[in-house]
Amino acid sequence: MAELKPVYSTDPAFCPACRRSPCTCADPAQLKKRQPEPLRLSFQRGAKGSGVTKIERLIMHPTLKEKMLSDFKRRFGCGGTIKDGVLELQGDRRDAVEVELKAQGYQVKRIGG
Ligand SMILES: [Zn+2]
């Protein structure tokens, strides 16, 4: 058997999230390996009674993360963004997000209030 070649980040198919080339983030069978820790779900209250729901520790290819965010935004009819890899949705969406993430096979841990 030939030695496994090291994977360098210059490889265009290399994924920084799952560290595979090609990326396996979309493969449900790889979810547990890729995501050994539960996601952290929290709500951070804003200044004027507003606030954001945060989904942290999601290990996923940036493109797929964007897709997940836009799915949530469309479904909940809210705004949202990705900041330093953290998904942020406007308003308190914890209940709906938790149900959705669990349906997709993720473990979810709520933190804070
Ligand atoms: Zn990946």
Side-chain angles (χ1 to χ4, degrees):
M1 276 300 280
E3 273 181 63
L4 280 174
K5 273 191 268 180
V7 183
Y8 295 109
S9 55
T10 48
D11 178 349
F14 178 76
C15 171
C18 62
R19 310 191 70 78
R20 294 283 177 81
S21 175
C23 173
T24 59
C25 287
D27 180 358
Q30 297 292 327
L31 179 61
K32 281 222 163 66
K33 277 186 219 166
R34 169 164 61 84
Q35 194 70 56
E37 273 189 293
L39 303 180
R40 288 178 155 234
L41 183 62
S42 62
F43 177 66
Q44 194 173 61
R45 203 165 292 285
K48 295 170 190 165
S50 60
V52 290
T53 300
K54 290 186 172 192
I55 306 162
E56 295 173 81
R57 302 200 178 174
L58 177 63
I59 301 166
M60 182 188 269
H61 192 283
T63 307
L64 294 169
K65 231 182 228 189
E66 290 283 353
K67 189 178 170 297
M68 182 185 263
L69 178 75
S70 49
D71 283 350
F72 282 155
K73 282 160 72 174
R74 195 176 52 241
R75 190 167 315 182
F76 307 143
C78 66
T81 188
I82 296 176
K83 228 181 260 177
D84 297 326
V86 177
L87 269 73
E88 295 189 358
L89 291 165
Q90 281 169 12
D92 186 355
R93 314 283 167 189
R94 285 174 296 180
D95 291 341
V97 166
E98 185 172 3
V99 167
E100 185 56 36
L101 289 171
K102 283 182 172 170
Q104 292 181 25
Y106 290 96
Q107 289 179 280
V108 180
K109 185 179 181 181
R110 285 207 194 200
I111 54 171

